[in-house]
Amino acid sequence: MPTISLDRNKTIRYDERGTGKPLVLLHGFPLDSRVFDRQLEDLSREFRVIVPDLTSFGQSTCDSPFTISSLAHDIRKLLAQIQALPCVLGGLSMGGYVALAFAKEHPMDLTGLILIDTRAEGDTPEGRQKRNQMIELVRSKGSGAVSEQMFPNMIAAEHASDPRIAGELRRIMESCPPRTIECACVAMRDRDDYTSFLPSIAVPTLIIVGEKDAITPKKLAEQMNRDIPRSKLVVIPDAGHMTPMEKPEEVSRAIREFASNVQG
């Protein structure tokens, strides 16, 4: 799993398999690229699949705070260095925020966009307050407490006792460093609202949402589908917020069908 240096204080670790059309998948919060293990395996037969750890997450490093926009710029630098542009870019949850920022700031580098269990709206005042409360929680009690608070809303109830899903998800969440959680909460709290940008997205767009997603409910995905001109919505039955882990075959199938029809 190679690592690329973006500058003297910042590195990005990524995994890559397959050849052909570049397909890049960005993880959510407080997670890392392991959430796409099944997609990396399933889709690398047809595409050049690239799954990075976002700056400060997983095995990537950064000594300074980051923003959603700076994460998008870092991904763009990575993909330029490894000659993976233009690409089909997908993002899960917070990764979807990064993908939207990328689409707005680097539109010529995209051939397709995939938004997975995410939203275009910025945080409401209530949402900003919850981010601040999570910052205090991670400062006082660490990553485990954040994982414990978030976990019930991350997956559908029927998967909560499955060690292959719930156990791995807990391990990934608990491994996220406290400082990264704090910086990510600030970045998400202060991110731009992209709702007015959605009608301007010119590339084909796939929107995936779990039928039982409690964090970014289906109605938000339906609204994005209405607002993005060339978009398709796929609802994954019996899945919550973590569709790539809960229903990996269904998510891989949806991405495969979409990316196969993207030109470029």
Side-chain angles (χ1 to χ4, degrees), residues 21-240:
K21 186 184 302 179
L23 170 62
V24 185
L25 299 173
L26 308 179
H27 64 81
F29 164 85
L31 308 167
D32 59 44
S33 59
R34 287 176 286 176
V35 301
F36 288 118
D37 278 354
R38 277 293 303 275
Q39 285 70 46
L40 183 64
E41 178 183 351
D42 294 345
L43 297 171
S44 58
R45 301 181 184 95
E46 292 95 355
F47 310 104
R48 179 188 177 191
V49 184
I50 300 160
V51 288
D53 286 338
L54 292 169
T55 307
S56 290
F57 291 84
Q59 296 180 46
S60 296
T61 62
C62 180
D63 290 343
S64 57
F66 52 83
T67 66
I68 296 300
S69 180
S70 75
L71 293 176
H73 286 302
D74 289 346
I75 290 299
R76 203 277 173 190
K77 289 179 185 177
L78 165 69
L79 299 179
Q81 284 198 42
I82 64 175
Q83 298 182 325
L85 293 172
C87 68
V88 175
L89 178 66
L92 165 70
S93 194
M94 186 191 75
Y97 307 156
V98 178
L100 283 169
F102 191 109
K104 184 174 183 179
E105 296 168 28
H106 308 288
M108 301 306 294
D109 292 322
L110 287 184
T111 56
L113 181 65
I114 305 172
L115 302 172
I116 308 169
D117 296 287
T118 191
R119 70 176 75 209
E121 296 86 355
D123 273 3
T124 63
E126 180 185 8
R128 292 171 62 86
Q129 183 179 7
K130 288 182 178 179
R131 302 286 189 200
N132 292 334
Q133 290 170 348
M134 186 168 287
I135 290 170
E136 293 304 316
L137 178 64
V138 75
R139 285 175 176 173
S140 61
K141 297 186 177 180
S143 302
V146 171
S147 173
E148 194 65 28
Q149 181 185 86
M150 291 184 64
F151 186 81
N153 290 324
M154 293 291 278
I155 58 177
E158 52 262 48
H159 304 302
S161 60
D162 186 338
R164 296 170 301 173
I165 300 171
E168 178 64 8
L169 178 59
R170 283 188 182 275
R171 284 189 290 272
I172 294 171
M173 293 174 71
E174 291 170 1
S175 71
C176 190
R179 181 182 175 277
T180 298
I181 291 175
E182 180 174 346
C183 290
C185 284
V186 172
M188 291 187 289
R189 182 194 69 195
D190 298 341
R191 74 186 187 278
D192 290 339
D193 185 307
Y194 284 102
T195 52
S196 63
F197 165 65
L198 298 183
S200 303
I201 296 175
V203 294
T205 301
L206 173 65
I207 302 164
I208 297 174
V209 67
E211 180 185 31
K212 300 178 180 179
D213 190 336
I215 297 177
T216 52
K218 184 175 66 170
K219 65 180 181 180
L220 299 179
E222 292 170 340
Q223 185 61 54
M224 288 194 294
N225 184 215
R226 288 190 288 269
D227 291 342
I228 300 174
R230 301 170 63 191
S231 64
K232 175 184 178 181
L233 174 63
V234 174
V235 179
I236 306 296
D238 301 319

